[in-house]
PDB file of all heavy atoms in Angstrom:
ATOM      1  N   TRP A 389      -1.442  12.814  -6.408  1.00  0.00           N
ATOM      2  CA  TRP A 389      -1.624  13.396  -5.085  1.00  0.00           C
ATOM      3  C   TRP A 389      -2.301  12.427  -4.131  1.00  0.00           C
ATOM      4  O   TRP A 389      -3.127  12.806  -3.325  1.00  0.00           O
ATOM      5  CB  TRP A 389      -2.434  14.694  -5.185  1.00  0.00           C
ATOM      6  CG  TRP A 389      -1.705  15.761  -5.902  1.00  0.00           C
ATOM      7  CD1 TRP A 389      -0.585  16.409  -5.484  1.00  0.00           C
ATOM      8  CD2 TRP A 389      -2.022  16.321  -7.169  1.00  0.00           C
ATOM      9  NE1 TRP A 389      -0.181  17.337  -6.410  1.00  0.00           N
ATOM     10  CE2 TRP A 389      -1.053  17.304  -7.455  1.00  0.00           C
ATOM     11  CE3 TRP A 389      -3.031  16.094  -8.107  1.00  0.00           C
ATOM     12  CZ2 TRP A 389      -1.065  18.047  -8.629  1.00  0.00           C
ATOM     13  CZ3 TRP A 389      -3.026  16.840  -9.264  1.00  0.00           C
ATOM     14  CH2 TRP A 389      -2.060  17.801  -9.502  1.00  0.00           C
ATOM     15  N   GLY A 390      -1.985  11.162  -4.230  1.00  0.00           N
ATOM     16  CA  GLY A 390      -2.508  10.194  -3.275  1.00  0.00           C
ATOM     17  C   GLY A 390      -3.848   9.605  -3.653  1.00  0.00           C
ATOM     18  O   GLY A 390      -4.190   9.448  -4.815  1.00  0.00           O
ATOM     19  N   GLU A 391      -4.616   9.278  -2.622  1.00  0.00           N
ATOM     20  CA  GLU A 391      -5.840   8.515  -2.810  1.00  0.00           C
ATOM     21  C   GLU A 391      -6.878   9.163  -3.715  1.00  0.00           C
ATOM     22  O   GLU A 391      -7.514   8.463  -4.499  1.00  0.00           O
ATOM     23  CB  GLU A 391      -6.435   8.136  -1.457  1.00  0.00           C
ATOM     24  CG  GLU A 391      -5.555   7.151  -0.730  1.00  0.00           C
ATOM     25  CD  GLU A 391      -6.020   6.846   0.672  1.00  0.00           C
ATOM     26  OE1 GLU A 391      -7.012   7.436   1.116  1.00  0.00           O
ATOM     27  OE2 GLU A 391      -5.391   5.992   1.311  1.00  0.00           O
ATOM     28  N   PRO A 392      -7.101  10.479  -3.661  1.00  0.00           N
ATOM     29  CA  PRO A 392      -8.074  11.043  -4.602  1.00  0.00           C
ATOM     30  C   PRO A 392      -7.664  10.823  -6.064  1.00  0.00           C
ATOM     31  O   PRO A 392      -8.502  10.525  -6.909  1.00  0.00           O
ATOM     32  CB  PRO A 392      -8.099  12.531  -4.248  1.00  0.00           C
ATOM     33  CG  PRO A 392      -7.693  12.579  -2.806  1.00  0.00           C
ATOM     34  CD  PRO A 392      -6.671  11.480  -2.670  1.00  0.00           C
ATOM     35  N   SER A 393      -6.375  10.937  -6.356  1.00  0.00           N
ATOM     36  CA  SER A 393      -5.898  10.664  -7.718  1.00  0.00           C
ATOM     37  C   SER A 393      -6.070   9.194  -8.056  1.00  0.00           C
ATOM     38  O   SER A 393      -6.385   8.843  -9.193  1.00  0.00           O
ATOM     39  CB  SER A 393      -4.429  11.048  -7.860  1.00  0.00           C
ATOM     40  OG  SER A 393      -4.249  12.423  -7.645  1.00  0.00           O
ATOM     41  N   PHE A 405     -10.839  14.527 -12.282  1.00  0.00           N
ATOM     42  CA  PHE A 405      -9.743  15.052 -11.462  1.00  0.00           C
ATOM     43  C   PHE A 405     -10.123  16.380 -10.831  1.00  0.00           C
ATOM     44  O   PHE A 405      -9.691  16.700  -9.736  1.00  0.00           O
ATOM     45  CB  PHE A 405      -8.465  15.207 -12.299  1.00  0.00           C
ATOM     46  CG  PHE A 405      -7.581  14.007 -12.261  1.00  0.00           C
ATOM     47  CD1 PHE A 405      -7.854  12.895 -13.026  1.00  0.00           C
ATOM     48  CD2 PHE A 405      -6.478  13.980 -11.442  1.00  0.00           C
ATOM     49  CE1 PHE A 405      -7.043  11.775 -12.990  1.00  0.00           C
ATOM     50  CE2 PHE A 405      -5.654  12.855 -11.392  1.00  0.00           C
ATOM     51  CZ  PHE A 405      -5.941  11.759 -12.169  1.00  0.00           C
ATOM     52  N   SER A 406     -10.936  17.171 -11.514  1.00  0.00           N
ATOM     53  CA  SER A 406     -11.329  18.468 -10.961  1.00  0.00           C
ATOM     54  C   SER A 406     -12.192  18.312  -9.711  1.00  0.00           C
ATOM     55  O   SER A 406     -12.321  19.247  -8.930  1.00  0.00           O
ATOM     56  CB  SER A 406     -12.074  19.292 -12.008  1.00  0.00           C
ATOM     57  OG  SER A 406     -13.247  18.616 -12.424  1.00  0.00           O
ATOM     58  N   ALA A 407     -12.771  17.117  -9.494  1.00  0.00           N
ATOM     59  CA  ALA A 407     -13.608  16.878  -8.319  1.00  0.00           C
ATOM     60  C   ALA A 407     -12.796  16.427  -7.108  1.00  0.00           C
ATOM     61  O   ALA A 407     -13.329  16.320  -6.012  1.00  0.00           O
ATOM     62  CB  ALA A 407     -14.671  15.829  -8.630  1.00  0.00           C
ATOM     63  N   THR A 408     -11.508  16.164  -7.283  1.00  0.00           N
ATOM     64  CA  THR A 408     -10.673  15.733  -6.165  1.00  0.00           C
ATOM     65  C   THR A 408     -10.263  16.955  -5.349  1.00  0.00           C
ATOM     66  O   THR A 408     -10.301  18.083  -5.849  1.00  0.00           O
ATOM     67  CB  THR A 408      -9.417  14.983  -6.655  1.00  0.00           C
ATOM     68  OG1 THR A 408      -8.606  15.885  -7.394  1.00  0.00           O
ATOM     69  CG2 THR A 408      -9.785  13.778  -7.509  1.00  0.00           C
ATOM     70  N   PRO A 409      -9.860  16.746  -4.087  1.00  0.00           N
ATOM     71  CA  PRO A 409      -9.464  17.894  -3.251  1.00  0.00           C
ATOM     72  C   PRO A 409      -8.350  18.747  -3.861  1.00  0.00           C
ATOM     73  O   PRO A 409      -8.311  19.948  -3.678  1.00  0.00           O
ATOM     74  CB  PRO A 409      -8.999  17.249  -1.950  1.00  0.00           C
ATOM     75  CG  PRO A 409      -9.663  15.928  -1.906  1.00  0.00           C
ATOM     76  CD  PRO A 409      -9.818  15.497  -3.329  1.00  0.00           C
ATOM     77  N   HIS A 410      -7.450  18.118  -4.601  1.00  0.00           N
ATOM     78  CA  HIS A 410      -6.342  18.871  -5.185  1.00  0.00           C
ATOM     79  C   HIS A 410      -6.726  19.474  -6.526  1.00  0.00           C
ATOM     80  O   HIS A 410      -6.247  20.529  -6.879  1.00  0.00           O
ATOM     81  CB  HIS A 410      -5.114  17.979  -5.360  1.00  0.00           C
ATOM     82  CG  HIS A 410      -4.647  17.411  -4.072  1.00  0.00           C
ATOM     83  ND1 HIS A 410      -5.028  16.171  -3.633  1.00  0.00           N
ATOM     84  CD2 HIS A 410      -3.866  17.913  -3.109  1.00  0.00           C
ATOM     85  CE1 HIS A 410      -4.482  15.939  -2.454  1.00  0.00           C
ATOM     86  NE2 HIS A 410      -3.777  16.973  -2.110  1.00  0.00           N
ATOM     87  N   GLY A 411      -7.580  18.765  -7.258  1.00  0.00           N
ATOM     88  CA  GLY A 411      -8.017  19.260  -8.555  1.00  0.00           C
ATOM     89  C   GLY A 411      -6.869  19.529  -9.496  1.00  0.00           C
ATOM     90  O   GLY A 411      -5.714  19.377  -9.158  1.00  0.00           O
ATOM     91  N   ILE A 412      -7.199  19.870 -10.690  1.00  0.00           N
ATOM     92  CA  ILE A 412      -6.202  20.289 -11.657  1.00  0.00           C
ATOM     93  C   ILE A 412      -6.740  21.559 -12.292  1.00  0.00           C
ATOM     94  O   ILE A 412      -7.830  21.550 -12.873  1.00  0.00           O
ATOM     95  CB  ILE A 412      -5.958  19.214 -12.739  1.00  0.00           C
ATOM     96  CG1 ILE A 412      -5.361  17.956 -12.116  1.00  0.00           C
ATOM     97  CG2 ILE A 412      -5.026  19.748 -13.822  1.00  0.00           C
ATOM     98  CD1 ILE A 412      -5.114  16.829 -13.093  1.00  0.00           C
ATOM     99  N   PRO A 413      -6.036  22.683 -12.182  1.00  0.00           N
ATOM    100  CA  PRO A 413      -6.514  23.927 -12.781  1.00  0.00           C
ATOM    101  C   PRO A 413      -6.710  23.778 -14.290  1.00  0.00           C
ATOM    102  O   PRO A 413      -5.969  23.049 -14.960  1.00  0.00           O
ATOM    103  CB  PRO A 413      -5.401  24.926 -12.473  1.00  0.00           C
ATOM    104  CG  PRO A 413      -4.643  24.337 -11.339  1.00  0.00           C
ATOM    105  CD  PRO A 413      -4.766  22.846 -11.478  1.00  0.00           C
TER     106      PRO A 413
END
Side-chain angles (χ1 to χ4, degrees):
W389 294 292
E391 293 174 357
S393 298
F405 268 79
S406 60
T408 65
H410 301 95
I412 295 179

